[in-house]
Amino acid sequence: MGATAFVHNRLMELRNAGGAILLISEDLDELLKMSDRIAVMYLGQVVELGPRDAVWHRTLHPYTRALMAAAPSSHPANRRLPRIG
């Protein structure tokens, strides 16, 4: 087991045991797996905050949409927005 998988598994164990985790990441696939709530920051300000599924499926802020469109995804179901620009 690689170091990344080890850390991921330990964090999931903590989360499943009722622990709280603040995960700061640009890896949207990982955020979707591990998060109950997501906050998106732009220029030091939270521009979108809410339950994971609400933020993922009903993005409100243009930066959130651009961030999602720019992120590579290994899961075809998560590739939902065309690239901007």
Side-chain angles (χ1 to χ4, degrees):
M1 174 185 310
T4 301
F6 177 79
V7 170
H8 172 81
N9 289 342
R10 299 294 84 73
L11 288 173
M12 289 303 290
E13 287 174 8
L14 176 63
R15 180 183 178 272
N16 292 337
I21 300 170
L22 172 63
L23 179 63
I24 300 170
S25 179
E26 293 178 353
D27 184 341
L28 297 183
D29 284 339
E30 196 66 21
L31 288 174
L32 286 173
K33 288 182 219 169
M34 297 189 69
S35 301
D36 294 321
R37 295 178 55 79
I38 293 177
V40 178
M41 292 186 73
Y42 178 66
L43 299 175
Q45 301 292 318
V46 174
V47 295
E48 196 145 8
L49 172 68
R52 175 197 57 222
D53 293 336
V55 172
W56 185 253
H57 295 292
R58 293 185 300 276
T59 56
L60 301 175
H61 196 273
Y63 179 73
T64 305
R65 289 192 293 272
L67 182 66
M68 293 170 123
S73 176
S74 59
H75 305 289
N78 293 343
R79 295 182 196 144
R80 57 192 270 294
L81 297 172
R83 235 182 220 288
I84 296 172

